[in-house]
Amino acid sequence: MKHKLLSFFVGSMILTSVAFAQEKKVSGRVTGADGKPLVGVTIAVQGSNVATQTDANGNYSLSVPTGKIIVFRSVGFADKTLIVKEGQSSFNVTLDGSDNALSEVVVTGMGVSKNTKGLGYSVSKVSGDDLVKSGEANIIQGLAAKATGVQVTSSSGTPGASSKIILRGPASFSGDNQPLIVVDGVPLDNSLNNIKAGDDPYNQNLAGVQTANRALDINPDDIESVTVLKGPAAAAIYGQAAGNGAIIYTTKKGKLGSGLGIVYSTGFEASKVNKLPEMQTSYGQGEGGVSKVSADSWGPSLAGKQSYDNVKEFFQTGRIFNNNLAITSGGEKTTFRFSVGSHNNKGIVPNSSFNRYTGRLSSESKLNDAITVGATLSYTNSNTRAVQNGSNLAGTMLALLRTPADFNLADYINEDGSQKQYFPNYDNPYWSTEFNPYTEQNNRVTGNAYADVKLNNIFTVSWKTGLDNYSTEGKQIYAIGSRGDDNGLAYGEIKRTNVNFRNIYSDLLLKFNTKISEDFSVSGMLGGNFNYAQYTTNFGRGRNLAMPGYYNFASAQELYVSNYEEYKNSKAIFLDATFDYKSILFLTLTGRNEWSTTFGKDSKGFFYPKADVSYVFSHLLENNSILNYGKVRFAYSNVGISPNVYSDRSYFTVPTIADGMTNGFSFPYAGQAGFAKSNVQVAEEFRPERNKGYEAGLEMKFFNNRLGLDFTYYQQHSSDLLISQPIDPTSGYAYYYNNVGAMKNTGYEVGITGHVVKAEKFNWHTTLNWSKNENEVTELAEGVDKMSIGSAFTAPQSYAIVGQPFGVLYAQKFKRNAEGRVLINPSNGLPIYEDELGNVGSPIPTWLMNWNNEFTYKDFSLSFLWDFRKGGKIWGGTQAGLYNRGKAAETADRERMYKIDGVFASGPDEGKENNKEIDALTYFRNYLGNSNSEIAIQNGSWARLRSVDFSYRFKNFSKSIQYIQVGVNLRNVLLITDYKGVDPETSLTGSNQNFAGYDFFNNPGTKSYSLNLRFGF
């Protein structure tokens, strides 16, 4: 029935489009200012995908509905538009010889469109088509390898998992280091809501499931363009909300004069695991070559016996179905767009899934020559079934990778419904994915309404109000018999969480644009905005379930509840003014004064200034046949980063007492409530964290604008960073929270674009981006030599240390002699370790690079994107664990002795080459399998073919169907890396933690192959 209704609906729209769009053939010739014909000029019908190109003589011909707008576009020339009127069939066009890149417009802060020529700071623009091509459901992950200075890290390849994005390095010790996300001028919450019990003192992100960052609620097919404002100068207009930069998403809308159009796309994607650790299947469960119940595979040889490749058999082929329908309409004064979309993903892990259903409606109307109004409303419903991850006795990978080869994991359930386990402390992954699900339902409404009133030729008033509202319901079940519950007692547990978020945003702008003289003009805006946000959570937990399969709090013998509420608002006034001299010299001054409740009820406002200069020097080189365009730019900014809400005072809290091994206990205890004053004293007045930025850039275009270069150098100094400084406990507190920390980021960004081949039928366009960021902590509190930036494992640890990169990894280090040789204990042949943990490397990559190529031949198109990462250390806790347990492929070579490279530390042979042999068990368990030591730290470099996209478009398919496009997309199809384990683009702790570089039985990444169809009516 659904298919019949859809067919009827689409058929009705096709008939309607035919009725409204009577086509006629237009033709003509396109020449340059010198009268010579231009080859390969694109002529497109605005608001549709109907297009053609001029031939060798500059001639063109295509069918265009009456009243439509056609656009003439070519690299090195300014765009020209014409309206096809009744009775017209011939257009001869002359294109001006100016680079359309010079007049390229990007959406910047506050949703204001600006000419790139006048920008004194670096921005990157990504098209919505590139987001869709990436094959990613998450609009954050879709930006990976698309721009300089942008690092995106996916937590795993399981459906709905989060992605983290950092622009030009971290700027805060404890605050959020991710950029502000803005959609159609309204901030969008991108939180990862991992709600935990108030009586749990440990980091929940090390175990549990990978929940989504909420930008996943946006449908990539609705995105028209993305502007990445990488530095504080680019995002300064947003003040403290964008101290880490901003990403501006602009959604698709109807276009005036475009008439009625319908686009329907559908696609199927098959996904598989892209990388797993190499395992041995030659030896079975046991110890010392003897079969016994054990967590290890140091048992007997399986030669001639049944063995199982449990890892290979466990993962399935994931299936993704995408469907999108968009209806657009554009008349003389009113535009309209309505879209619906669905994304259905069954993951590579059994019983994992993510489903998203979206609807978006936008309309704009020009009431008269002075007033324009518009509105957008969107709705998203998503549901997730996630699987256990990481340091977790119910975790998928922990038990799967440790399972001995002589145990059939797929035979996972007994007749009474209990699980079959190879070791009683680990849940069987098949059983766990079926009976320990985390399910989540999310409903989100976003939208805005706006009006522009042109007062005269100089002033325009713009008003916008937006809403972002979502509610999320999560449920985690641990069946009776599962070791995944909080206490690990297998008595069964249920957790329920509710998250409600609401953000109301409004701004009022007075825009101005006027010429002061023939050579000088000024433009900009004076405005203010208001932002109110509320965030509430409820958590309920029931332990010790009385009845199997009855997951209700009534079945729990032990109940716990907690809740959290957060309310904040901010208001600001700002001025942004650009002074333009002959369109060659631009000076922009920006100032924002902001008041926020995060600084306390009586806090004063804070001022954030910015200035940037852009000078187009190519006018000095007129008639130059090599350099066609050149611009230098400089920018300075001093913006803020807001502290966490309610961090301005000390509170009475419910204390939790733990021993590091169990969850301990908290109040209420024995029926008694209990509170204690926080051990953190807060400074009477603290300031916003500051991110001061300096930026210089050079942009040039050569050879008739066929080759482009964009170079940027920047320094960003973060100061007044908030730190909990240890103080004398006799004061009544253990820590003092104050503005005392600092760090800096220094970087280089290079972007090269080239139109390598530009011919009548064949075009090749290439883009190469390279970026390097060097981070250094420059100041901590007096008396503090290091600061932990996140609770994780005993070793390694992540620290902020003066003189080191933020988040540097510290682990056990080998003692070495003056030549750097490892010192060996002569009594056992094993390395000797330093007494204290030492620096084993930074998770921050040395540099990032991506290379994109796009080829078109007639109606064929091919593109591929290479992604390169150099450096960045990762703790390979998974691989070390597999060495220790006798599961890594190398441990199959166990019937011989080993020697560790080094020199004796003492004894009669002190300083001589180590010649003491040790058995395989000692070698792998105590050396390679020591996950606390530097031997477990690996290089995270990679080269990956991130995406390949091939398509063919059948044009003018029929009178009602303008085109049919068939495409094939490959994602993550090739990965080259020395990293042992899963895909090194991984993060155990997800997107809401400031420390990175941890792999401890993380769920794997994926590669995929998809077939896509797109119909234009």
Side-chain angles (χ1 to χ4, degrees):
M1 184 64 183
K2 290 182 178 178
H3 293 295
K4 292 181 178 178
L5 288 173
L6 180 60
S7 299
F8 174 76
F9 176 74
V10 174
S12 299
M13 289 300 165
I14 293 171
L15 292 175
T16 304
S17 68
V18 174
F20 278 92
Q22 300 299 320
E23 293 187 348
K24 63 187 301 182
K25 181 160 287 188
V26 298
S27 60
R29 190 166 185 259
V30 183
T31 59
D34 56 3
K36 295 181 179 179
L38 296 178
V39 181
V41 176
T42 299
I43 302 98
V45 179
Q46 191 179 80
S48 76
N49 290 282
V50 176
T52 188
Q53 287 187 327
T54 55
D55 60 20
N57 298 314
N59 297 319
Y60 72 93
S61 175
L62 81 165
S63 296
V64 183
T66 300
K68 286 281 191 176
I69 297 174
I70 52 177
V71 182
F72 297 78
R73 178 170 295 155
S74 180
V75 174
F77 298 90
D79 292 354
K80 180 160 287 189
T81 59
L82 294 170
I83 299 177
V84 179
K85 298 180 180 180
E86 190 69 37
Q88 291 182 309
S89 61
S90 178
F91 294 94
N92 293 324
V93 174
T94 299
L95 296 185
D96 296 329
S98 59
D99 181 15
N100 57 352
L102 305 188
S103 58
E104 182 183 359
V105 172
V106 295
V107 179
T108 62
M110 307 305 295
V112 175
S113 296
K114 289 189 177 183
N115 191 311
T116 55
K117 186 167 62 172
L119 298 181
Y121 48 80
S122 173
V123 299
S124 292
K125 186 175 180 179
V126 179
S127 72
D129 288 342
D130 285 338
L131 286 186
V132 175
K133 276 184 184 179
S134 72
E136 302 287 355
N138 194 325
I139 61 172
I140 297 297
Q141 186 62 33
L143 291 174
K146 301 292 193 307
T148 58
V150 178
Q151 182 182 357
V152 180
T153 304
S154 172
S155 55
S156 79
T158 53
S162 66
S163 291
K164 181 177 183 176
I165 185 166
I166 298 292
L167 308 180
R168 292 183 174 175
S172 173
F173 289 162
S174 58
D176 188 0
N177 278 301
Q178 297 192 84
L180 174 71
I181 306 298
V182 179
V183 178
D184 289 337
V186 178
L188 182 94
D189 183 70
N190 187 35
S191 298
L192 186 153
N193 298 308
N194 192 347
I195 310 304
K196 73 171 189 174
D199 64 346
D200 188 344
Y202 304 118
N203 188 345
Q204 290 291 96
N205 294 82
L206 303 181
V209 301
Q210 287 287 357
T211 55
N213 58 298
R214 289 267 60 96
L216 185 62
D217 297 330
I218 305 301
N219 180 3
D221 269 280
D222 286 330
I223 302 299
E224 177 73 26
S225 66
V226 188
T227 305
V228 184
L229 306 178
K230 290 174 285 188
I237 195 68
Y238 289 109
Q240 67 180 23
N244 300 299
I247 303 178
I248 312 299
Y249 291 88
T250 303
T251 62
K252 296 175 181 176
K253 295 177 174 62
K255 294 180 174 61
L256 290 174
S258 62
L260 182 66
I262 303 172
V263 175
Y264 172 70
S265 62
T266 183
F268 169 74
E269 179 178 326
S271 59
K272 291 183 174 293
V273 175
N274 71 332
K275 190 176 186 303
L276 288 168
E278 296 183 12
M279 314 289 287
Q280 67 86 9
T281 57
S282 302
Y283 292 87
Q285 184 178 20
E287 299 284 350
V290 179
S291 180
K292 59 183 293 188
V293 176
S294 168
D296 300 333
S297 291
W298 292 106
S301 171
L302 297 179
K305 300 178 183 179
Q306 176 72 55
S307 65
Y308 304 91
D309 192 340
N310 288 300
V311 176
K312 179 180 179 181
E313 296 299 324
F314 178 77
F315 293 102
Q316 62 189 21
T317 299
R319 303 185 303 278
I320 301 175
F321 293 90
N322 283 304
N323 289 279
N324 285 278
L325 174 67
I327 304 170
T328 59
S329 176
E332 293 184 6
K333 294 185 177 181
T334 300
T335 65
F336 164 91
R337 184 178 187 271
F338 172 70
S339 68
V340 290
S342 65
H343 173 89
N344 303 101
N345 182 353
K346 289 188 178 295
I348 56 172
V349 176
N351 299 302
S352 63
S353 64
F354 171 72
N355 300 290
R356 179 183 63 206
Y357 305 93
T358 61
R360 178 175 289 269
L361 174 65
S362 62
S363 181
E364 183 175 280
S365 184
K366 191 175 181 64
L367 301 183
N368 54 43
D369 291 339
I371 302 175
T372 300
V373 297
T376 298
L377 179 67
S378 71
Y379 170 73
T380 299
N381 169 262
S382 61
N383 60 79
T384 305
R385 182 180 171 116
V387 292
Q388 303 298 308
N389 174 66
S391 182
N392 184 346
L393 296 180
T396 301
M397 293 289 281
L398 187 142
L400 175 64
L401 298 185
R402 295 181 180 183
T403 301
D406 53 349
F407 183 86
N408 183 10
L409 202 60
D411 183 16
Y412 68 95
I413 193 166
N414 295 305
E415 291 185 3
D416 63 357
S418 62
Q419 62 177 317
K420 294 182 180 180
Q421 301 161 277
Y422 84 90
F423 188 67
N425 281 353
Y426 303 151
D427 284 357
N428 186 304
Y430 286 97
W431 189 88
S432 184
T433 58
E434 184 173 350
F435 295 103
N436 294 332
Y438 172 82
T439 56
E440 185 177 276
Q441 286 278 350
N442 182 75
N443 289 281
R444 187 172 201 164
V445 175
T446 62
N448 63 73
Y450 59 91
D452 292 330
V453 180
K454 185 176 181 180
L455 303 179
N456 51 41
N457 291 331
I458 298 176
F459 295 104
T460 299
V461 174
S462 296
W463 164 83
K464 176 176 287 183
T465 292
L467 169 71
D468 180 11
N469 187 95
Y470 66 79
S471 63
T472 304
E473 296 182 3
K475 182 170 71 172
Q476 174 66 70
I477 292 170
Y478 291 108
I480 295 175
S482 169
R483 290 287 182 175
D485 62 334
D486 286 353
N487 289 327
L489 299 176
Y491 293 159
E493 183 175 277
I494 178 173
K495 301 177 184 178
R496 288 185 176 272
T497 59
N498 294 91
V499 177
N500 288 281
F501 175 83
R502 180 180 300 160
N503 185 72
I504 299 173
Y505 173 90
S506 185
D507 61 44
L508 182 64
L509 310 176
L510 176 63
K511 300 177 183 178
F512 50 88
N513 189 345
T514 184
K515 290 186 72 67
I516 301 174
S517 67
E518 184 177 347
D519 295 333
F520 283 95
S521 65
V522 61
S523 62
M525 59 183 168
L526 171 68
N529 64 22
F530 171 81
N531 201 84
Y532 169 79
Q534 64 181 49
Y535 175 79
T536 62
T537 69
N538 292 289
F539 176 89
R541 181 187 64 213
R543 290 176 176 162
N544 304 346
L545 303 184
M547 291 177 284
Y550 182 50
Y551 297 109
N552 189 290
F553 288 140
S555 177
Q557 300 176 47
E558 178 188 336
L559 294 173
Y560 172 88
V561 295
S562 61
N563 69 298
Y564 175 78
E565 298 181 7
E566 177 180 299
Y567 304 90
K568 61 181 178 180
N569 66 68
S570 65
K571 53 184 179 292
I573 56 174
F574 46 84
L575 172 66
D576 182 87
T578 298
F579 301 89
D580 175 354
Y581 173 70
K582 290 187 175 181
S583 292
I584 58 173
L585 178 63
F586 303 85
L587 169 66
T588 300
L589 301 175
T590 302
R592 179 183 174 104
N593 206 80
E594 187 163 12
W595 298 263
S596 173
T597 58
T598 55
F599 295 100
K601 293 181 292 185
D602 302 320
S603 68
K604 59 183 179 181
F606 297 95
F607 181 69
Y608 308 116
K610 186 268 290 184
D612 65 77
V613 177
S614 169
Y615 175 59
V616 181
F617 61 82
S618 49
H619 74 284
L620 301 173
L621 305 171
E622 292 182 359
N623 302 318
N624 186 299
S625 60
I626 298 177
L627 178 63
N628 310 114
Y629 171 67
K631 183 182 90 169
V632 291
R633 45 184 167 77
F634 305 92
Y636 163 81
S637 59
N638 189 339
V639 300
I641 301 174
S642 175
N644 295 324
V645 67
Y646 305 139
S647 60
D648 62 304
R649 68 202 79 174
S650 298
Y651 297 88
F652 281 90
T653 62
V654 177
T656 299
I657 301 172
D659 57 10
M661 298 296 293
T662 69
N663 285 352
F665 68 89
S666 66
F667 290 92
Y669 184 74
Q672 299 296 317
F675 296 88
K677 194 170 185 180
S678 169
N679 65 351
V680 179
Q681 182 183 15
V682 180
E684 291 186 6
E685 288 188 10
F686 58 78
R687 304 172 298 280
E689 298 182 333
R690 290 281 184 169
N691 192 2
K692 184 185 297 183
Y694 305 88
E695 179 179 322
L698 171 66
E699 299 173 25
M700 293 190 292
K701 293 185 180 294
F702 305 90
F703 310 118
N704 197 26
N705 306 302
R706 296 277 291 273
L707 176 65
L709 170 68
D710 189 335
F711 171 79
T712 302
Y713 169 78
Y714 64 85
Q715 281 194 5
Q716 294 175 188
H717 297 266
S718 304
S719 59
D720 287 340
L721 301 185
L722 290 162
I723 292 179
S724 292
Q725 174 185 356
I727 57 175
D728 185 352
T730 60
S731 66
Y733 298 93
Y735 301 95
Y736 182 60
Y737 189 60
N738 196 19
N739 298 91
V740 290
M743 66 177 163
K744 68 177 181 180
N745 289 281
T746 303
Y748 310 85
E749 297 169 353
V750 179
I752 299 174
T753 58
H755 211 118
V756 183
V757 178
K758 186 176 185 294
E760 179 182 355
K761 297 180 179 180
F762 178 70
N763 286 272
W764 173 15
H765 187 268
T766 188
T767 302
L768 181 70
N769 294 315
W770 180 89
S771 57
K772 177 182 178 67
N773 182 76
E774 297 174 345
N775 175 276
E776 181 186 353
V777 176
T778 57
E779 184 180 349
L780 292 173
E782 184 178 352
V784 178
D785 59 350
K786 64 182 179 182
M787 184 183 77
S788 175
I789 62 169
S791 173
F793 299 89
T794 303
Q797 286 282 328
S798 295
Y799 290 113
I801 298 176
V802 173
Q804 299 293 335
F806 178 70
V808 65
L809 297 172
Y810 267 55
Q812 290 180 339
K813 294 198 69 175
F814 301 131
K815 282 190 175 181
R816 300 175 185 268
N817 63 13
E819 289 76 36
R821 299 294 302 280
V822 175
L823 297 180
I824 303 296
N825 186 335
S827 65
N828 59 21
L830 292 171
I832 300 173
Y833 295 96
E834 298 284 356
D835 295 332
E836 301 290 336
L837 300 183
N839 185 344
V840 292
S842 168
I844 299 175
T846 306
W847 52 258
L848 302 171
M849 184 171 73
N850 55 79
W851 181 34
N852 188 48
N853 286 273
E854 298 178 347
F855 304 88
T856 59
Y857 175 71
K858 294 184 178 179
D859 296 321
F860 290 94
S861 68
L862 170 67
S863 65
F864 60 85
L865 173 63
W866 279 97
D867 181 14
F868 304 89
R869 164 174 148 157
K870 173 65 175 177
K873 298 297 184 180
I874 300 177
W875 175 53
T878 302
Q879 188 67 23
L882 296 179
Y883 285 133
N884 190 292
R885 301 291 180 179
K887 282 296 298 177
E890 294 90 335
T891 64
D893 188 11
R894 61 182 62 176
E895 303 299 328
R896 68 179 183 92
M897 304 298 284
Y898 288 84
K899 283 190 304 183
I900 298 174
D901 183 37
V903 297
F904 287 119
S906 59
D909 295 325
E910 180 178 352
K912 293 183 179 180
E913 193 76 21
N914 172 40
N915 59 6
K916 185 173 183 60
E917 294 186 330
I918 56 178
D919 59 46
L921 177 63
T922 303
Y923 178 78
F924 287 109
R925 172 161 287 174
N926 299 104
Y927 176 54
L928 293 184
N930 182 1
S931 62
N932 293 333
S933 79
E934 65 176 276
I935 200 71
I937 305 300
Q938 299 185 45
N939 191 320
S941 299
W942 71 58
R944 74 174 70 231
L945 186 55
R946 190 169 283 276
S947 68
V948 179
D949 189 83
F950 175 77
S951 65
Y952 179 78
R953 175 166 291 189
F954 300 90
K955 295 180 179 177
N956 299 318
F957 194 78
S958 69
K959 287 186 177 181
S960 56
I961 302 178
Q962 293 182 350
Y963 68 89
I964 297 178
Q965 182 171 304
V966 181
V968 176
N969 178 271
L970 312 179
R971 181 178 59 83
N972 264 349
V973 67
L974 178 63
L975 173 63
I976 303 171
T977 181
D978 291 331
Y979 183 75
K980 296 178 182 293
V982 297
D983 188 333
E985 185 184 10
T986 188
S987 174
L988 173 64
T989 55
S991 65
N992 68 337
Q993 301 279 293
N994 277 336
F995 59 99
Y998 286 76
D999 172 14
F1000 191 73
F1001 296 97
N1002 298 11
N1003 289 330
T1006 60
K1007 59 183 177 183
S1008 67
Y1009 314 85
S1010 64
L1011 175 65
N1012 308 287
L1013 295 173
R1014 184 176 292 266
F1015 303 86
F1017 302 101

